[in-house]
Amino acid sequence: MSSSFNQVTVLGAGVLGAQISFQIAYRGFEVTTYEVSDAALKQARQRFKGIAAVYPTEVEGATAAAAQETVERIRFTTQLASAVQGADLVIEAVPESLELKRDVFARIAASAPPAAVFVTNSSTLVPSELMDSTGRPDRFLALHFANHIWVNNMAEVMSSPNTDPRVYQRVLAFAKDIGMVPIELHKEQRGYIVNSLLGPFLMAAADLLLRGVAEPNTIDTTWRIATGAPKGPFELFDIIGLRTAYAVASAGGPDRQAWANYLKRNYIDQGKLGVESGEGFYIYPMS
Amino acid sequence: MSSSFNQVTVLGAGVLGAQISFQIAYRGFEVTTYEVSDAALKQARQRFKGIAAVYPTEVEGATAAAAQETVERIRFTTQLASAVQGADLVIEAVPESLELKRDVFARIAASAPPAAVFVTNSSTLVPSELMDSTGRPDRFLALHFANHIWVNNMAEVMSSPNTDPRVYQRVLAFAKDIGMVPIELHKEQRGYIVNSLLGPFLMAAADLLLRGVAEPNTIDTTWRIATGAPKGPFELFDIIGLRTAYAVASAGGPDRQAWANYLKRNYIDQGKLGVESGEGFYIYPMS
């Protein structure tokens, strides 16, 4: 089936929002990118430039000319009502706050076409926490992308109990249309599939370290040899970023607090944030 | 440092015991292989033939002539006392039963040279549960191999609180001498590193399936794309074997029973045991 979405609005042009806008526009859709201010839009334009530069080197068959033309085709606006006018699909990628997201959906509910489908890219919320703010629970669900979207090209698609199954199917088709592997979830799951697997796995590794069983590089080596995986858990922690790992652990139960404290004391307080800062559990050459 | 082990006795020539004997003999050590009966030894000889046939195709630089010569050099015996005579190192790889292992250690304690080091390859026990049966707690620890030892070439080395640190170092050196990556554990950990990571990871995947969140191939696809791993959790279940997964789950807490029941009802009762039977979560072409 075809998604029959033509005009797509992406709310938010942060790291992931910009990647989403670019990927969709590159695949031929009409894209409008919304940001809160001219300053934010200016920053977004820089992000798009960076993406256009790297995209042809990382995506098979992509050309610099097409990447350049993609950026030129994206429409930018700071007007929320105008951003969603005529949209077939609105992708919400604003900062991860329940209140902010609910407020944004409430504000666009009246301006967007009644038939428009809304999706959230939230990593930590589930659609049923947001649906009543959208004015269209049956045309609302989650479409969740991973960072570095054109390489980690999967999109997790997750309905609330109120989502119309035909809308779910259209969003699955859209994910395929934009070059993603659609990941079908049959019910709401906080953390979707990726984080539901990563969480217990990473905490098991953290637990071995906290209890002094083995060193991070020993644990990583073991996992790589045993499973053939390219990265062990502490290499993944460094990629995810130790501030994110800290935030997740801090929000967890009492057993997670020891890990949050360990990360803060030994890494974050010393400016070791993982790959992004050049050092975490490992040292990374800065380019 | 050198391990200064020359004569090595391997107790048990099951799937892993035979691999251990072969790998050590191939690396130039004098190896004695013990099995309980002539029938068991006959089966073991078949195993060694199979290993010698495949080894040169899977190990860089290995030759058929050297593999053949390796098998010829291994000494076979069904006499426990004679098996350990003159041994510098005794590797216990008998079936996974606490009572059996304690009994075997008690029986060799008097026949083996007092200076001989004993190690257990137990997957599920920790050395302190066995040490008093060995008559030499200071010269006893765990040396744990993974199936397909020449490919998954790591050896987890784990002391009890009573193990002499110099003995631990000698066993680490020995692991290197026989072509393993030695994995240093600093304290006793049931399941070592591999199973301490695999357990929570695989159970998180099982939980998503049990609760109807997504299908096995969807979950596997997600993990592969998100982490670059060659296999997802249900592919790993099939490799480990669903009977093993069932046994592990059955021995676990009440939350694991639902998974044990699911495996039994949908797979094991129907002869679907994973890769070994040609079908588990996936279908495998039988060679």
Side-chain angles (χ1 to χ4, degrees):
Chain A
M1 92 178 267
S2 151
S3 68
S4 61
F5 298 132
N6 295 306
Q7 246 180 274
V8 180
T9 298
V10 180
L11 306 178
V15 172
L16 198 51
Q19 294 179 9
I20 295 168
S21 280
F22 186 92
Q23 178 69 24
I24 295 171
Y26 192 89
R27 289 290 178 137
F29 293 83
E30 285 176 47
V31 172
T32 298
T33 296
Y34 162 84
E35 259 298 352
V36 283
S37 66
D38 287 333
L41 270 192
K42 199 176 160 193
Q43 223 184 347
R45 282 179 205 275
Q46 278 307 111
R47 282 210 179 90
F48 282 109
K49 266 194 196 168
I51 295 171
V54 79
Y55 199 84
T57 71
E58 298 188 342
V59 177
E60 214 183 300
T63 66
Q68 183 51 41
E69 184 266 344
T70 295
V71 178
E72 285 161 15
R73 270 197 298 111
I74 296 173
R75 189 170 79 92
F76 296 91
T77 179
T78 57
Q79 304 302 314
L80 199 47
S82 124
V84 298
Q85 247 171 25
D88 301 310
L89 175 67
V90 178
I91 300 176
E92 172 273 305
V94 307
E96 196 68 15
S97 147
L98 177 64
E99 283 320 302
L100 176 61
K101 285 176 192 287
R102 289 179 60 91
D103 179 56
V104 166
F105 280 123
R107 286 166 63 205
I108 64 169
S111 339
V117 170
F118 291 179
V119 297
T120 177
N121 179 54
S122 173
S123 303
T124 59
L125 304 169
V126 292
S128 56
E129 291 171 293
L130 298 165
M131 64 182 180
D132 62 337
S133 67
T134 66
R136 62 196 77 205
D138 59 324
R139 277 155 289 144
F140 175 66
L141 66 159
L143 176 63
H144 180 243
F145 297 93
N147 191 20
H148 210 170
I149 174 174
W150 49 87
V151 173
N152 301 319
N153 65 326
M154 61 187 186
E156 295 179 289
V157 185
M158 185 168 79
S159 291
S160 86
N162 295 43
T163 308
D164 181 336
R166 289 166 302 183
V167 171
Y168 177 79
Q169 292 298 329
R170 285 178 69 195
V171 172
L172 278 181
F174 174 73
K176 248 185 230 179
D177 287 347
I178 60 170
M180 298 291 112
V181 176
I183 302 292
E184 298 187 43
L185 282 82
H186 301 315
K187 56 176 66 168
E188 287 196 339
Q189 167 72 23
R190 203 174 292 278
Y192 304 83
I193 293 172
V194 179
N195 289 333
S196 298
L197 296 175
L198 267 179
F201 170 64
L202 293 176
M203 275 315 297
D207 182 57
L208 290 174
L209 175 60
L210 281 178
R211 291 190 297 105
V213 174
E215 305 304 325
N217 68 340
T218 301
I219 296 169
D220 283 351
T221 301
T222 308
W223 184 252
R224 288 194 308 263
I225 297 179
T227 67
K231 306 277 184 201
F234 294 96
E235 292 170 298
L236 293 176
F237 270 126
D238 274 356
I239 291 170
I240 291 162
L242 302 190
R243 281 185 297 198
T244 299
Y246 172 79
V248 172
S250 300
D255 55 319
R256 304 286 174 106
Q257 299 312 314
W259 178 236
N261 293 341
Y262 183 95
L263 284 173
K264 186 166 187 309
R265 196 172 55 250
N266 295 292
Y267 292 92
I268 296 166
D269 283 352
Q270 297 173 38
K272 300 176 185 175
L273 309 177
V275 175
E276 61 179 301
S277 75
E279 184 169 357
F281 292 105
Y282 299 91
I283 295 173
Y284 302 88
M286 297 303 276
S287 58
Chain B
M1 91 177 266
S2 151
S3 68
S4 62
F5 297 132
N6 295 307
Q7 246 181 274
V8 180
T9 298
V10 180
L11 305 178
V15 172
L16 198 52
Q19 294 179 10
I20 294 168
S21 280
F22 185 92
Q23 177 70 23
I24 295 171
Y26 191 89
R27 289 291 178 138
F29 293 83
E30 284 176 48
V31 172
T32 298
T33 297
Y34 162 84
E35 258 298 353
V36 282
S37 66
D38 288 333
L41 270 193
K42 198 175 160 195
Q43 224 185 348
R45 283 180 204 274
Q46 278 307 112
R47 283 210 178 88
F48 282 109
K49 266 194 195 168
I51 295 172
V54 78
Y55 199 84
T57 70
E58 297 189 342
V59 176
E60 215 184 299
T63 66
Q68 183 51 41
E69 184 266 342
T70 295
V71 178
E72 286 160 15
R73 269 198 298 108
I74 297 173
R75 188 170 80 91
F76 296 92
T77 179
T78 57
Q79 303 302 314
L80 199 48
S82 125
V84 298
Q85 247 171 24
D88 300 310
L89 175 67
V90 178
I91 300 176
E92 174 274 304
V94 307
E96 195 69 15
S97 147
L98 177 65
E99 284 320 303
L100 175 62
K101 285 175 192 286
R102 288 179 62 91
D103 180 56
V104 166
F105 280 123
R107 285 166 62 202
I108 64 170
S111 338
V117 170
F118 292 179
V119 298
T120 178
N121 180 53
S122 174
S123 303
T124 58
L125 305 169
V126 293
S128 57
E129 291 170 293
L130 298 165
M131 64 183 179
D132 63 337
S133 66
T134 67
R136 61 195 78 206
D138 58 324
R139 278 155 288 143
F140 175 66
L141 65 159
L143 176 63
H144 180 242
F145 297 94
N147 190 20
H148 210 170
I149 175 175
W150 49 86
V151 173
N152 302 318
N153 65 327
M154 62 187 186
E156 295 178 289
V157 186
M158 184 168 80
S159 292
S160 86
N162 295 46
T163 308
D164 181 337
R166 288 167 301 182
V167 172
Y168 177 80
Q169 292 298 329
R170 285 178 69 195
V171 172
L172 278 181
F174 174 73
K176 248 186 230 176
D177 286 347
I178 60 169
M180 298 291 111
V181 176
I183 301 293
E184 297 187 43
L185 282 82
H186 302 313
K187 57 174 68 166
E188 287 196 339
Q189 167 72 23
R190 204 174 291 278
Y192 305 82
I193 294 172
V194 179
N195 289 333
S196 299
L197 297 175
L198 266 179
F201 170 64
L202 293 177
M203 275 314 298
D207 183 56
L208 290 174
L209 175 60
L210 281 178
R211 290 192 296 104
V213 174
E215 306 304 325
N217 69 338
T218 301
I219 296 169
D220 283 350
T221 300
T222 307
W223 184 253
R224 288 195 308 263
I225 297 178
T227 67
K231 306 276 184 201
F234 293 95
E235 292 170 298
L236 293 176
F237 270 126
D238 274 356
I239 291 171
I240 290 163
L242 302 191
R243 281 185 299 197
T244 299
Y246 172 78
V248 172
S250 300
D255 55 320
R256 303 286 173 108
Q257 299 312 315
W259 178 234
N261 294 340
Y262 183 96
L263 284 173
K264 186 166 186 310
R265 198 171 55 249
N266 295 291
Y267 293 92
I268 295 167
D269 283 352
Q270 296 173 39
K272 299 176 185 173
L273 310 178
V275 174
E276 60 177 305
S277 75
E279 184 169 356
F281 292 105
Y282 299 91
I283 294 173
Y284 302 88
M286 297 303 275
S287 57

